[in-house]
Amino acid sequence: MGLRIYNTLTRKKEEFSPLKDKQVRMYVCGVTLYDKLHLGHARAAVVFDTIFRYLEYKGYKVTYVTNFTDVDDKMIKRARELNTTIFNLAERFIGEYFEQMEKLGVKRASFYPRATEHIREIIELIKKLEEKGIAYEKDGDVFFRVKKFPDYGKLSGQSLTELLAGVRIDVDEKKENPFDFALWKKAKEGEPSWDSPWGRGRPGWHIECSAMAMRYLGESIDLHGGGKDLIFPHHENEIAQSEAATGKKFARFWVHNGLVTINEQKMAKSAGNFVTLSEALEKYGGEVVRYYLLSVHYRSPLNYSEEGLNEATSSLERIYNVLERIEEAIVEEDKKFTLKNISPGVKRLSDKFFDSMDDDFNTPSAFAAIFELVKEANSIMENPLDDSSKTTLYYIAHQIRKAGKILGLFQKEGNKLETKTDKLIQILIDVRNILRREKRWDLADLIREKLQEVGIKLEDKKDKTVWRTFLALPEKK
RNA sequence: GGCGGCGUAGCCAAGUGGCCAAGGCGGAGGAUUGCAAAUCCUCUAUUCCCCGGUUCAAAUCCGGGCGCCGCCUCCA
């Protein structure tokens, strides 16, 4: 079955295929490096990372580019407030960005271009538009003439006339049309600026993405992504600039993730309602946050709640529990399977995972498939195990790990403490079991409680006691 | 005002014409257990915001309400 992706441009799910055989060129609008990341940024990063991973799983060679906006009004303002330069500011937030992305299990993209490092490409692109009569210069600013691009509005589903009817943007005297947008901005006193044919200045926001996407991926790309809030005007303008300049279709699939809300309102710095990514990571750990972000379909809004994160913790714990139980139940030589030894029912469940992912990356449905496998495995382990059930168990564990690799989850290994600690825990367990035999429950329970406090959980089975760490929780120092 | 979207159990959340409306969290009861944890079994939406309509058949399509959200200005 083929992968189907919802395309904002056509407003329907379409069969995905790249322009060039098995190569996918994908560009996702990244972040502006002026402040801390919040959960909204995390969502976009995790969603597109999952898409990236799934495309690779499907056998595509993916070139994934996501940019850093390192020059704009906010950067300049922030740098001034902190009495530093936009370059220092950028360095600082890039460091933080990668640190947090790693915790979220976000793989490195192929390239992370920065606007300030592509001024030449940006200028070239603007010149091209100027030559075609699509861009016009006015007192050192350069604007895009939207009237010259008949398709303007095709992504957001609004025609220029409709847009003009509801116009509430400040009318800029320099612009011929209120929807004309800046390609190049004349430098004001003390602002970072670069030489250009129109004098000292800096790029407008939208142009950097067009220039960098083309620089790394070519004039036509397969998939372009970002948050839903970027559809208009950012992506609309990217299309206009790029297609006006090249005469070619800029991106075939436009993919937009839903926004994170809090109390049903969009999470945003300006409104003051946001949860920083660092707070969430600290409290719940990267894997729980990632699970939480993927527990809702990527196009739907996600309303932040602590309960949601707590539920995610419990759910993740359930998955790790079964993986550990299977690990305990089988030995090395059971770790093989041939598909024909697996019952059709179990196979169907693992297919359901991939069918769900094929259906516009339906992760909630994919999780359901995983939980059905979890139930099946636990259920098998209620009874004495024979070769066939061990094979099935291994198959299930294998499939869950495989699914986890795509989702960026379930990759931790349990009970992996250094041998000495391992032995110490075993000593405590042995002592405790002696106490239990002598029915000295108070002491036995005390040992269990104390171990729990340091993150080690004991489970008394029929004939043995096993210990686990809390894999779903953030590591405590 | 224009454009896009949402409303499914206590909570989260799939499902867009047809078996008993997935799955998770939580809760209740039972099994197991010294207790706990983990796990299993049963139960927890005769019904999908409301009202009409189309159809043999609708949560799913159409019309009309009500409520909510996003974009139209920087924003993942």
Side-chain angles (χ1 to χ4, degrees):
Chain A
M1 191 176 144
L3 171 61
R4 290 163 57 78
I5 302 179
Y6 181 87
N7 190 348
T8 307
L9 198 56
T10 57
R11 292 173 212 294
K12 51 180 196 269
K13 287 183 199 172
E14 295 173 19
E15 191 79 22
F16 179 77
S17 67
L19 278 161
K20 231 166 110 190
D21 43 81
K22 289 300 261 183
Q23 291 182 35
V24 174
R25 287 167 293 178
M26 146 172 182
Y27 186 94
V28 174
C29 291
V31 296
T32 303
L33 302 162
Y34 79 105
D35 209 343
K36 288 184 171 177
L37 299 176
H38 62 236
L39 282 173
H41 301 111
R43 184 177 193 196
V46 165
V47 161
F48 288 102
D49 175 63
T50 304
I51 289 175
F52 177 34
R53 287 166 182 258
Y54 193 60
L55 289 170
E56 287 196 325
Y57 163 79
K58 296 289 272 185
Y60 295 109
K61 167 121 182 37
V62 185
T63 309
Y64 174 24
V65 179
T66 186
N67 68 297
F68 287 125
T69 297
D70 59 354
V71 55
D72 83 327
D73 292 346
K74 284 181 189 160
M75 291 284 299
I76 293 168
K77 183 165 171 255
R78 207 35 170 348
R80 204 166 276 160
E81 284 165 8
L82 298 173
N83 198 24
T84 182
T85 64
I86 56 168
F87 304 98
N88 285 334
L89 199 60
E91 285 316 313
R92 197 177 112 200
F93 286 118
I94 285 176
E96 229 173 77
Y97 177 89
F98 283 119
E99 218 172 276
Q100 296 181 346
M101 288 303 129
E102 193 175 329
K103 288 185 183 150
L104 281 174
V106 171
K107 279 181 38 160
R108 288 275 172 148
S110 318
F111 300 98
Y112 290 93
R114 294 166 59 168
T116 58
E117 289 170 357
H118 295 82
I119 301 291
R120 187 180 314 137
E121 286 90 341
I122 290 168
I123 290 173
E124 286 308 311
L125 189 57
I126 300 174
K127 270 162 71 180
K128 209 164 173 182
L129 290 166
E130 200 178 31
E131 280 157 22
K132 293 194 173 189
I134 296 159
Y136 59 96
E137 191 254 326
K138 188 88 192 193
D139 304 333
D141 287 326
V142 183
F143 298 101
F144 183 94
R145 188 176 272 132
V146 288
K147 281 221 161 95
K148 283 287 221 174
F149 188 70
D151 275 351
Y152 195 78
K154 69 177 173 183
L155 183 68
S156 54
Q158 301 233 91
S159 67
L160 209 45
T161 11
E162 283 167 340
L163 284 163
L164 283 166
V167 67
R168 4 178 260 244
I169 52 177
D170 294 336
V171 181
D172 185 332
E173 293 299 310
K174 294 180 185 172
K175 292 183 185 176
E176 292 176 3
N177 182 302
F179 283 94
D180 286 354
F181 53 91
L183 296 166
W184 188 262
K185 293 181 165 183
K186 182 183 180 171
K188 295 195 188 95
E189 194 56 36
E191 283 184 355
S193 60
W194 290 262
D195 279 322
S196 82
W198 317 281
R200 299 283 297 176
R202 60 187 165 94
W205 174 40
H206 316 293
I207 195 72
E208 65 175 77
C209 288
S210 294
M212 297 190 291
M214 288 187 205
R215 157 74 178 75
Y216 292 92
L217 301 169
E219 294 181 340
S220 283
I221 68 178
D222 298 299
L223 195 155
H224 193 127
K228 270 194 157 87
D229 50 353
L230 297 182
I231 295 173
F232 193 91
H234 186 55
H235 288 161
E236 195 70 71
N237 292 352
E238 270 190 60
I239 292 175
Q241 294 161 349
S242 310
E243 300 192 353
T246 66
K248 292 180 189 157
K249 186 160 195 164
F250 181 46
R252 301 180 59 223
F253 283 82
W254 283 89
V255 178
H256 293 97
N257 64 274
L259 304 179
V260 177
T261 59
I262 182 163
N263 299 324
E264 310 291 343
Q265 304 288 317
K266 178 179 172 179
M267 185 175 283
K269 281 278 157 48
S270 47
N273 55 331
F274 59 92
V275 177
T276 63
L277 179 54
S278 57
E279 284 173 61
L281 288 174
E282 172 121 6
K283 193 157 178 196
Y284 298 96
E287 191 169 14
V288 167
V289 174
R290 185 174 177 115
Y291 181 98
Y292 176 62
L293 294 173
L294 291 176
S295 67
V296 177
H297 184 86
Y298 80 90
R299 281 191 283 117
S300 305
L302 168 59
N303 192 40
Y304 170 84
S305 74
E306 298 245 331
E307 299 93 293
L309 260 332
N310 288 330
E311 285 178 11
T313 309
S314 305
S315 304
L316 241 196
E317 200 66 51
R318 177 165 161 87
I319 291 170
Y320 273 121
N321 280 338
V322 79
L323 290 174
E324 295 212 284
R325 283 188 78 195
I326 293 174
E327 199 55 41
E328 286 154 16
I330 62 178
V331 295
E332 206 56 38
E333 66 203 53
D334 300 321
K335 293 186 176 177
K336 55 183 186 302
F337 64 86
T338 43
L339 245 21
K340 58 175 184 296
N341 292 334
I342 306 301
S343 78
V346 171
K347 238 181 287 179
R348 205 175 314 119
L349 290 178
S350 96
D351 287 345
K352 183 179 162 187
F353 173 84
F354 296 101
D355 291 345
S356 300
M357 291 302 286
D358 271 344
D359 183 16
D360 196 29
F361 314 106
N362 192 338
T363 50
S365 171
F367 279 134
I370 291 170
F371 280 108
E372 287 180 64
L373 284 171
V374 168
K375 191 177 202 77
E376 179 65 24
N378 278 322
S379 192
I380 288 171
M381 287 186 282
E382 284 300 294
N383 299 308
L385 302 177
D386 58 17
D387 283 354
S388 149
S389 49
K390 282 179 184 168
T391 304
T392 302
L393 286 178
Y394 180 64
Y395 174 77
I396 289 174
H398 179 263
Q399 290 302 112
I400 292 175
R401 294 270 187 196
K402 185 170 156 191
K405 211 165 172 200
I406 291 165
L407 299 169
L409 298 167
F410 329 138
Q411 301 302 304
K412 284 185 201 158
E413 300 285 343
N415 292 12
K416 282 283 153 67
L417 300 179
E418 322 79 283
T419 344
K420 265 187 194 161
T421 317
D422 206 331
K423 282 181 184 158
L424 275 168
I425 294 168
Q426 198 51 54
I427 290 168
L428 280 167
I429 288 175
D430 292 343
V431 171
R432 178 170 170 274
N433 281 338
I434 293 166
L435 292 170
R436 289 175 69 214
R437 231 170 286 138
E438 293 172 5
K439 300 202 189 305
R440 294 164 69 178
W441 309 123
D442 49 340
L443 279 177
D445 290 349
L446 184 71
I447 292 172
R448 188 171 59 194
E449 274 164 37
K450 291 290 175 190
L451 283 173
Q452 173 123 354
E453 280 169 26
V454 297
I456 291 161
K457 164 172 74 169
L458 298 190
E459 293 178 11
D460 296 323
K461 305 284 179 186
K462 264 247 166 340
D463 49 350
K464 62 178 178 191
T465 298
V466 299
W467 65 274
R468 304 214 164 107
T469 45
F470 293 90
L471 288 172
L473 293 173
E475 307 244 336
K476 292 277 185 298
K477 300 276 148 42

